[in-house]
Amino acid sequence: MKSFQTLLLVLTVFYSCNEKKESTDSVDDNQHPKLILTKKGVDKIRASLGSVPIFDKTLEKVKKEVDAEIADGIKMPIPKDYSGGYSHDQHKRNMVVLQKAGVLYQILDDEKYAKYVKDMLMQYEAMYKTLPVHPKTRSYARGKLFWQCLNDSNWLVYVSQAYDCVYNYLSEEERNKLETNLFKPFADFISIGNPQFYQRVHNHSTWGNAAVGMIGLVMDDQELIDRALYGIKDLKLNTTEKDDDGGFLNKDGKAGFLANIEEPFSPDGYYNEGPYYQRYAMYPFLIFAEGLHNVKPELKIFEYKEGVLLKSINALLNLSDADGDFFPLNDGQKGMSYYTSALVTAVDISYHFGTQDSGLLSIASAQDRVLLDDSGLSVALGIKNGKATSFNKKSINLSDGPKGEQGGVAILRNEDIELVFKYAAQGSSHGHYDKLSYSLYEKGEEILQDYGLARFVNIEQKGGGNYLKENKTWAKQTIAHNTVTQNETSHFNAKYEIGSQHHSVLNYFSSENENVQVASAKEANAYPGTEMLRTMAIIKDEDLEKPYMLDIMKVTSNEANQYDFPYYFLGQVLNTNFKYDTPKTLNTLGTKNGYQHLYVEGTAKASSENSKLSWLNKGKFYTLTTLTNNNDELLFTRIGANDPEFNLRREAAFMLRRKNAKNTLFVSTIEAHGGYSPVTESAVNSNSSIKELQLVLDTEDYTAIQITSEKGNIKLFITANTNASKEAKHTIKINDKNYEWSGSYYFE
Amino acid sequence: MKSFQTLLLVLTVFYSCNEKKESTDSVDDNQHPKLILTKKGVDKIRASLGSVPIFDKTLEKVKKEVDAEIADGIKMPIPKDYSGGYSHDQHKRNMVVLQKAGVLYQILDDEKYAKYVKDMLMQYEAMYKTLPVHPKTRSYARGKLFWQCLNDSNWLVYVSQAYDCVYNYLSEEERNKLETNLFKPFADFISIGNPQFYQRVHNHSTWGNAAVGMIGLVMDDQELIDRALYGIKDLKLNTTEKDDDGGFLNKDGKAGFLANIEEPFSPDGYYNEGPYYQRYAMYPFLIFAEGLHNVKPELKIFEYKEGVLLKSINALLNLSDADGDFFPLNDGQKGMSYYTSALVTAVDISYHFGTQDSGLLSIASAQDRVLLDDSGLSVALGIKNGKATSFNKKSINLSDGPKGEQGGVAILRNEDIELVFKYAAQGSSHGHYDKLSYSLYEKGEEILQDYGLARFVNIEQKGGGNYLKENKTWAKQTIAHNTVTQNETSHFNAKYEIGSQHHSVLNYFSSENENVQVASAKEANAYPGTEMLRTMAIIKDEDLEKPYMLDIMKVTSNEANQYDFPYYFLGQVLNTNFKYDTPKTLNTLGTKNGYQHLYVEGTAKASSENSKLSWLNKGKFYTLTTLTNNNDELLFTRIGANDPEFNLRREAAFMLRRKNAKNTLFVSTIEAHGGYSPVTESAVNSNSSIKELQLVLDTEDYTAIQITSEKGNIKLFITANTNASKEAKHTIKINDKNYEWSGSYYFE
């Protein structure tokens, strides 16, 4: 961190020089509000009050909430806690209430809200001007109100809106006082005072950029606006520094809001850190974009990079399961969903500034609240006028990388089954080392889980609400995921420097046939000398009750390795077609790379060509059928070893271990079938419908799997491993029969 | 089993002698249906069709279901499977469909239903007359259609109703054929053919009695009716034999339906095996009672034993949590609830034949279906006429034992907190060895769980759907419950012969003060020489967000022992106020009496007078505070050791171990507080509000606990250990202050 300190010294000078307000305040005062609310929009909202149910309901709720806060009085603790602690939570609360009170003042034209905002802002002004850096030292960029600049930025994004709403209510003298002692130094501190935080392509920086930009728009301070859009002028950071999470601070020198749109979003709108962080970043992206759209329409921000901001909302909604919960790719906390307020912003803005997609209205209906601005009014009116249709999620392939050339994420959907297949790039510092991993869902419930992060966000008792050390030692490691681990070592040796240079490559994606959805991708860098090609399909077959998953993982290596292939199932073992031993005492599976966190609960040698495991979870039956040979070891493991603070969930996995193999193939199906009700106590369709899986061909170019149902019908799936374009023509012979087709795969 | 075989030989003779139909068929044919449906009732139902929503809806659903079955054709597999297998499930399905088709014939007057019933009955007649005993040998009383007589009895209870409905549709010749070759031999086989099943006081026998009685009522066969009411005439069984579950077959020689009402129900309507089995037994009790009421009104069956059948329904509904799930006392499978069809029967019959309690209508509304008979019509009309009110469950004390003198079960309720305190008798062969144990709920979610049974009812893959061996080795053992285990040995040495001779004794129950609900009971026989007195309270205090639990377990022994005191919490450890070690490998806590199933995940020495553990479960925070001394060991354990088929759930416990203690006291509070939402990512009130627990007095007569809140307020709870009547007057001095009160406890 030495270079930061030097940098800070240098910048302190720069910072002092810039303390005076440089903008000319050319905007007419009457033009406020202008940022999120607009004069025109407020007039329209006022005229509609009482006639648009969901808007009125939201307004009523917000009014009740803010009235209670006003009655309770302003609380302004001296900053001292981490996330989850009192001072942290209070200032977080204050920023939200300020924003809401500002909006209420505009919509209801009741001075009590403006006065409340003014009073609180003045208290902040009084405190901030002498406030030292936050006493908690854990962050790479400490804030003043909060332990990290990130939270200070959150605050300014909200409070800028409040300030805009009461701008005309305040006297010029009051505004000067606030701008000089609070807003300007605040904006400077989180930017030029903390370039290691601000001057990056990272979701943290996006918040910083938006904060600086939004207060700049309100104050009409072009320098701040430019700093927001393009980064701190003429500043270059050391490109080899890393942040707390192990990510590079600023490897390529890019910075500013536009760079933060440019870099992390693929042309399809996939955000490189995954949906959990996209959700977090979404609010500053969109709220600042809305502000820019209103104040600087000439920037055409919603058209930037071919409209990627609005595309990203569609991508994000598609990255949620049937319940609206985001798939926990990378460092995702489970349970985060499109019910979060950032997604209310996203859905409303997408509807209003986009193409008025009626499917968004059904999500807004489920959210049961709207933004109290022009976009929220549009949505509320759409719902009121009966325009809502259901938002149909289909199979979708989302490219990763600024140009869409760094792998991606494919989601296969059929009926209630959803498969999320990750063949993306590293995902910045929040990425996990899980190339070609997947998770599987039925109607929003996990069948095979991705563990998500090891963190209890904002729960102070658990490591201050921050990342726990098990996030690195377990959640990020390859063995924690449904993919291949070679020689008990994580992909890229779990090294960010290496992982972030590579990405997997799409072999093909095919969703034209509604009964057969397929994604196939290759990873050649996770283990030098080893190539993995994984082809995953969700297949609807009349002999099976529900669509099933077919998974073909082809591993080619130039030397013999041990391959571990886990299935993170949830629930309780029902039965197996192999005998296994259970140990008297539980030992760990290994000593490092995540293995130290797994207990071995059972061991077996595979005894037949198809090993089967059935389990029961939340009243539903599932069966895994996997091709095995007599040397394969089968393991039951459980997460939770070397976990001295009970930070990990005690969940199970089944694992196939193949030793001393060079080129090999893992072929499995997972069926969801039947169900059990504890009320009727009846078990329906509790047995697998797949009688046999058979490998009938495996060459460099093709792999063919034969699936025989319990009813005796035989299906053949042939995947093209090399020449897999839609147009490619194939002719091959299997067991003396010729197969001819064109396209990526054959199924019949 | 030798004596059974002899008995069977003897009875086969008896059975053969009775094969001819003895009744005189004196009833006019026109009087059918008469059993559950009545001529008069059917007329009323037909007149109401189309005007009573919930009845019409149920009828529509049943019609759709039966029409689909008719379209599908009759299936009559040769019996061969255990529960969950095909032949088992099909015959179970057939019995239900027969009953429904019979009802449809009566209500809709459409012959296709009568014909369907006739056709299927004739197929049963054709098969049954040559059917051997079921090939599966596991039951102590094998059936013919099913692997156990119990299921055969289920079948006859349903099919009697179907037969009654089509009685007049059939020719006399057809009736003779069915009665001679199917019904009479069927009734004989499950009764005189299997006295070890039939001639008992047990829920199995209740089904047998009802089956024989109901077909007797339809056939107007007085001998069968008498056999149903009073048991097999002149038959005495060996009173020392036991069944599969370890229960005595017929210890005191009582048998028949009336004895089955007399014995297991307490005057309060508590059923000695607990709610899960009461629910199961409820259907034959009530449906046969309804039949008796209709055909033999002179018996006044609903007034029998001061109306205990209807009282028992109220007791059963009170033995459910906020979601309607029954508390899993003894061998209860979790998830069974008042949504089960037996409870539709119970609620409708209770309403119709009882006092038309409007609270029952809200449960019927939630059940969303009614019986298609007179009682269902009453309920449907009540709902239609807007009479439903909510069914308010309050704190309630239910005595156990035929005369209410064998302990009981107390349920303490305040706001969303429910505590179930078990101080009952053994609970027949389904009882667990858990004197003075409890479980704790918040809004239907478990805070401290009772494990329930170790069985996957009707899931064939798990031990044929039957009790698993872990039910005996784990679920029934004392250490599996939230009570004291002495010297690593279960209560009564887990011996049914001993346990069934004893019961705990109420000290007092008090629910007058709505802020303080208390139950206190004593157990003197579980460990000879040791007395346990447990006083449990749910207290609402203004310094705490929610009502909290106070638990005072006073142990008095004539020798030094080791006491283990577990808390089966669910969810994830948040923090503790003591340091603990976690082992590298997991070993079991012991080698027998359930201890062999527990892994030790953490160990500590208590370091302060109050040991605290907080945890998070399903988005809610909980804190245990318990009095400890420096010699106390604190253990974290996990269920699942020595479980070679993964039959047990991997759930946690925290355990207080006190060694080498004679008289001792365990005092704890459990608070539910705050919550966490993964959508807003905010943690609310995540810390305990109890600063300190202090023991300020402990004598033979009184125990006094002082509770200091974080706000600094001090409360004192004094419980009377000996003279605890409502009227008793008390004067004691604690720390030089005099306390005077009358009643069981003091709180201020």
Side-chain angles (χ1 to χ4, degrees), chain B residues 116 156 335 413 469 490 628 639-640 695:
Chain B
Y116 180 74
L156 191 56
R413 293 184 161 107
K469 72 177 181 343
S490 286
T628 43
I639 304 164
L695 175 67

Side-chain angles (χ1 to χ4, degrees), chain B residues 9-299:
Chain B
L9 273 174
V10 174
L11 283 163
T12 310
V13 180
F14 180 70
Y15 171 68
S16 306
C17 300
N18 277 273
E19 262 180 345
K20 273 167 285 166
K21 194 176 166 189
E22 289 179 5
S23 78
T24 50
D25 233 353
S26 65
V27 179
D28 186 293
D29 273 357
N30 289 328
Q31 289 191 4
H32 291 271
K34 61 181 182 178
L35 187 67
I36 303 306
L37 285 171
T38 60
K39 281 300 273 184
K40 208 173 133 194
V42 168
D43 290 345
K44 199 173 161 196
I45 288 168
R46 287 186 186 172
S48 309
L49 288 184
S51 69
V52 195
I54 200 171
F55 193 95
D56 293 333
K57 186 176 169 183
T58 309
L59 182 64
E60 189 50 42
K61 212 177 141 201
V62 168
K63 185 175 179 306
K64 213 168 153 184
E65 183 188 341
V66 174
D67 287 350
E69 290 285 342
I70 293 176
D72 210 28
I74 294 170
K75 297 187 192 74
M76 193 64 48
I78 296 298
K80 74 179 193 33
D81 301 321
Y82 280 125
S83 319
Y86 171 67
S87 76
H88 181 100
D89 287 354
Q90 186 59 49
H91 289 297
K92 201 167 147 188
R93 181 93 201 109
N94 285 352
M95 81 189 189
V96 172
V97 174
L98 277 173
Q99 188 267 348
K100 288 179 173 171
V103 168
L104 289 179
Y105 169 60
Q106 284 296 333
I107 295 179
L108 301 176
D109 199 17
D110 182 338
E111 281 203 6
K112 83 168 174 185
Y113 298 109
K115 184 172 180 308
Y116 180 74
V117 172
K118 184 180 98 173
D119 291 349
M120 202 194 289
L121 288 179
M122 287 302 171
Q123 288 196 29
Y124 269 113
E125 184 269 345
M127 179 171 76
Y128 193 83
K129 61 188 172 194
T130 58
L131 206 58
V133 173
H134 194 280
K136 293 287 187 199
T137 59
R138 200 190 291 154
S139 175
Y140 74 104
R142 290 151 68 190
K144 287 191 166 183
L145 291 182
F146 300 91
W147 70 279
Q148 50 178 356
C149 274
L150 173 61
N151 301 118
D152 279 43
S153 301
N154 300 156
W155 186 91
L156 191 56
V157 164
Y158 282 85
V159 177
S160 299
Q161 300 173 55
Y163 181 47
D164 180 46
C165 286
V166 301
Y167 194 93
N168 287 341
Y169 172 82
L170 300 171
S171 69
E172 193 175 343
E173 193 184 347
E174 287 164 343
R175 289 197 297 263
N176 280 339
K177 192 174 172 189
L178 288 174
E179 295 191 6
T180 309
N181 296 331
L182 179 61
F183 294 131
K184 187 62 169 41
F186 199 112
D188 286 341
F189 179 74
I190 60 172
S191 55
I192 51 185
N194 281 281
Q196 77 283 17
F197 158 78
Y198 187 85
Q199 196 76 346
R200 304 171 66 185
V201 169
H202 191 283
N203 74 67
H204 288 191
S205 311
T206 303
W207 277 99
N209 304 154
V212 169
M214 288 173 77
I215 197 69
L217 289 173
V218 181
M219 291 163 58
D220 196 27
D221 183 329
Q222 190 60 44
E223 196 251 319
L224 288 184
I225 296 169
D226 287 344
R227 195 191 298 162
L229 292 172
Y230 312 109
I232 303 167
K233 214 176 161 185
D234 301 328
L235 171 72
K236 292 277 171 271
L237 286 180
N238 179 341
T239 58
T240 60
E241 286 292 336
K242 290 193 204 168
D243 69 8
D244 299 350
D245 300 323
F248 287 113
L249 277 177
N250 197 333
K251 197 159 152 282
D252 50 15
K254 291 179 183 169
F257 190 66
L258 297 179
N260 267 298
I261 297 176
E262 196 61 53
E263 289 295 308
F265 287 108
S266 80
D268 292 335
Y270 179 77
Y271 183 76
N272 72 344
E273 299 183 7
Y276 176 78
Y277 278 92
Q278 179 172 357
R279 170 274 327 175
Y280 185 65
M282 226 53 225
Y283 186 76
F285 273 120
L286 295 175
I287 206 78
F288 184 30
E290 188 174 2
L292 284 169
H293 175 90
N294 287 334
V295 186
K296 303 277 178 193
E298 64 277 13
L299 273 174

Side-chain angles (χ1 to χ4, degrees), chain A residues 170-188:
Chain A
L170 300 171
S171 67
E172 194 175 344
E173 191 184 350
E174 287 163 343
R175 289 197 298 263
N176 281 340
K177 190 172 173 189
L178 288 174
E179 296 189 7
T180 310
N181 297 331
L182 179 61
F183 295 131
K184 187 63 170 38
F186 199 111
D188 285 340

Side-chain angles (χ1 to χ4, degrees), chain A residues 443-477:
Chain A
K443 229 179 179 170
E445 294 291 344
E446 294 163 312
I447 301 174
L448 286 205
Q449 73 160 329
D450 186 283
Y451 190 88
L453 47 58
R455 177 183 180 184
F456 295 73
V457 182
N458 292 332
I459 299 182
E460 206 189 7
Q461 292 92 334
K462 286 297 213 187
N466 300 307
Y467 284 99
L468 299 164
K469 70 178 183 340
E470 290 78 12
N471 198 57
K472 266 187 192 167
T473 60
W474 167 251
K476 286 196 163 192
Q477 300 294 329

Side-chain angles (χ1 to χ4, degrees), chain B residues 67 97 158 164 245 248 303 313 463 505 515 624 679 692 699:
Chain B
D67 287 350
V97 174
Y158 282 85
D164 180 46
D245 300 323
F248 287 113
E303 291 166 40
I313 299 172
V505 174
N515 289 324
L624 162 72
V679 174
E692 194 183 17
T699 66

Side-chain angles (χ1 to χ4, degrees), chain A residues 296-345:
Chain A
K296 303 275 178 194
E298 64 277 16
L299 272 174
K300 297 189 179 173
I301 191 70
F302 285 120
E303 291 165 42
Y304 190 75
K305 199 181 173 183
E306 298 185 46
V308 75
L309 282 179
L310 299 180
K311 277 186 194 166
S312 77
I313 299 172
N314 184 56
L316 184 52
L317 292 172
N318 265 291
L319 284 162
S320 70
D321 68 18
D323 300 327
D325 288 6
F326 297 122
F327 299 124
L329 302 175
N330 298 327
D331 283 338
Q333 173 158 281
K334 291 182 182 179
M336 180 53 75
S337 74
Y338 61 47
Y339 293 97
T340 187
S341 60
L343 267 284
V344 175
T345 305

Side-chain angles (χ1 to χ4, degrees), chain A residues 676-690:
Chain A
Y676 180 75
S677 156
V679 174
T680 62
E681 297 193 330
S682 66
V684 176
N685 192 26
S686 64
N687 290 304
S688 163
S689 297
I690 290 178

Side-chain angles (χ1 to χ4, degrees), chain B residues 352-498:
Chain B
H352 184 66
F353 295 105
T355 56
Q356 286 79 56
D357 172 2
S358 59
L360 293 168
L361 296 180
S362 65
I363 296 180
S365 272
Q367 290 170 335
D368 202 26
R369 60 198 199 277
V370 292
L371 292 182
L372 295 177
D373 66 6
D374 306 9
S375 67
L377 186 64
S378 284
V379 167
L381 283 167
I383 292 169
K384 183 193 170 191
N385 296 328
K387 290 186 187 162
T389 58
S390 71
F391 187 85
N392 286 327
K393 288 183 264 189
K394 295 189 174 160
S395 292
I396 188 171
N397 186 41
L398 299 166
S399 65
D400 191 8
K403 293 182 178 150
E405 294 167 344
Q406 299 180 6
V409 171
I411 304 161
L412 306 180
R413 293 184 161 107
N414 195 333
E415 295 178 359
D416 289 335
I417 304 294
E418 292 178 302
L419 183 150
V420 193
F421 178 43
K422 186 185 164 198
Y423 64 97
Q426 180 60 31
S428 179
S429 63
H430 291 300
H432 288 189
Y433 299 93
D434 61 343
K435 294 294 161 195
L436 308 186
S437 79
Y438 76 107
S439 50
L440 188 64
Y441 292 77
E442 178 173 16
K443 228 179 181 171
E445 293 291 343
E446 296 163 311
I447 301 174
L448 286 205
Q449 73 160 330
D450 186 282
Y451 190 88
L453 46 56
R455 177 183 180 185
F456 295 72
V457 182
N458 293 330
I459 298 184
E460 206 188 8
Q461 292 92 332
K462 285 297 211 187
N466 300 307
Y467 285 99
L468 299 165
K469 72 177 181 343
E470 290 77 13
N471 198 56
K472 267 187 191 166
T473 60
W474 166 251
K476 284 196 164 193
Q477 300 293 331
T478 305
I479 195 61
H481 299 85
N482 298 303
T483 185
V484 165
T485 295
Q486 179 179 300
N487 301 328
E488 304 188 27
T489 309
S490 286
H491 295 170
F492 308 110
N493 257 312
K495 292 215 165 103
Y496 180 75
E497 297 80 348
I498 308 172

